[in-house]
């Protein structure tokens, strides 16, 4: 958590009238300690049971190497990758494609880059839109209606 400046995030959120939710991976046991004075704009949500439900109230996803952006891509909203340890991660964990080349959104390797991205609203949104098209093709959001039409009503 030393790679996050909560005060700077808080000030940004105040200007934007935004709230910054933090949801850690379920295996992460050490959660961030958010100063009480900042908790009206920065909230720790790791105990929230279903990240997918949070997507509906999220205008922007900031992630690292998690696969959570796959589901979020269906909403075609911006994704920003905060990868302060990208070079080390790529060398030690191994990746089949460079994160810089394949990430469907802006890649920020420093906290300053992340804040500049947020302040400038430079999300490279076209990448997530193309990613959604490439990976989910004909997804229209009406799968249940189509199942009912085909199975129950026997319509094509």
């Amino acid at each position: 958590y030393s790679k996050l400046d909560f005060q700077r995030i808080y000030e940004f959120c105040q200007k934007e009238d935004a709230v910054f939710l933090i949801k850690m991976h379920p295996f992460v046991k050490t959660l961030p300690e958010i100063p009480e004075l900042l908790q009206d704009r920065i909230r720790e949500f790791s105990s929230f049971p279903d990240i997918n439900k949070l997507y509906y109230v999220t205008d922007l996803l900031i992630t690292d190497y998690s696969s959570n952006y796959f589901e979020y891509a269906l909403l075609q909203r911006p994704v920003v990758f905060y990868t302060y340890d990208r070079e080390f991660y790529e060398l030690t964990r191994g990746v089949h494609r460079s994160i810089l080349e394949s990430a469907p959104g802006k890649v920020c390797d420093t906290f300053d880059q992340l804040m500049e991205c947020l302040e400038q609203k430079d999300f490279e949104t076209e990448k997530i839109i193309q990613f959604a098209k490439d990976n989910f093709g004909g997804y229209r959001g009406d799968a249940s209606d189509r199942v009912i039409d085909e199975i129950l009503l026997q319509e094509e």
Side-chain angles (χ1 to χ4, degrees):
Y1 304 116
S2 65
K3 302 295 183 185
L4 296 173
D5 180 341
F6 288 130
Q7 184 63 44
R8 192 164 166 197
I9 292 168
Y10 182 84
E11 291 166 7
F12 170 79
C13 288
Q14 275 191 312
K15 284 190 288 187
E16 295 292 321
D17 193 24
V19 176
F20 190 90
L21 300 181
I22 299 172
K23 178 154 177 49
M24 300 306 297
H25 189 281
F27 292 154
V28 174
K29 299 300 180 205
T30 305
L31 301 177
E33 292 184 28
I34 302 163
E36 189 172 338
L37 290 172
L38 308 181
Q39 290 181 12
D40 63 315
R41 295 285 175 177
I42 304 173
R43 305 296 304 268
E44 206 295 306
F45 255 60
S46 296
S47 64
F48 193 83
D50 186 357
I51 192 170
N52 292 311
K53 290 181 181 178
L54 291 177
Y55 295 154
Y56 294 108
V57 297
T58 303
D59 297 320
L60 166 72
L61 175 67
I62 301 172
T63 189
D64 53 7
Y65 313 101
S66 172
S67 62
N68 60 5
Y69 66 87
F70 275 87
E71 291 88 0
Y72 192 75
L74 291 170
L75 299 171
Q76 296 190 1
R77 294 182 191 150
V79 177
V80 174
F81 294 80
Y82 181 36
T83 54
Y84 60 85
D85 60 346
R86 181 181 50 79
E87 291 177 355
F88 179 77
Y89 185 90
E90 288 181 341
L91 287 172
T92 58
R93 294 287 303 262
V95 294
H96 68 281
R97 287 186 290 175
S98 160
I99 293 164
L100 279 177
E101 294 172 12
S102 64
K106 180 82 171 192
V107 176
C108 302
D109 289 337
T110 68
F111 185 76
D112 285 337
Q113 288 175 346
L114 173 64
M115 292 308 299
E116 182 178 316
C117 167
L118 296 175
E119 290 161 355
Q120 303 291 322
K121 295 181 177 20
D122 177 22
F123 308 132
E124 300 180 6
T125 307
E126 68 280 356
K127 290 181 178 179
I128 198 68
I129 292 169
Q130 188 61 51
F131 178 83
K133 286 180 186 174
D134 292 346
N135 288 278
F136 303 108
Y139 176 78
R140 302 185 318 238
D142 64 345
S144 296
D145 289 338
R146 291 187 322 206
V147 168
I148 289 168
D149 289 347
E150 283 192 37
I151 295 176
L152 298 178
L153 302 177
Q154 296 183 345
E155 296 176 1
E156 289 188 31

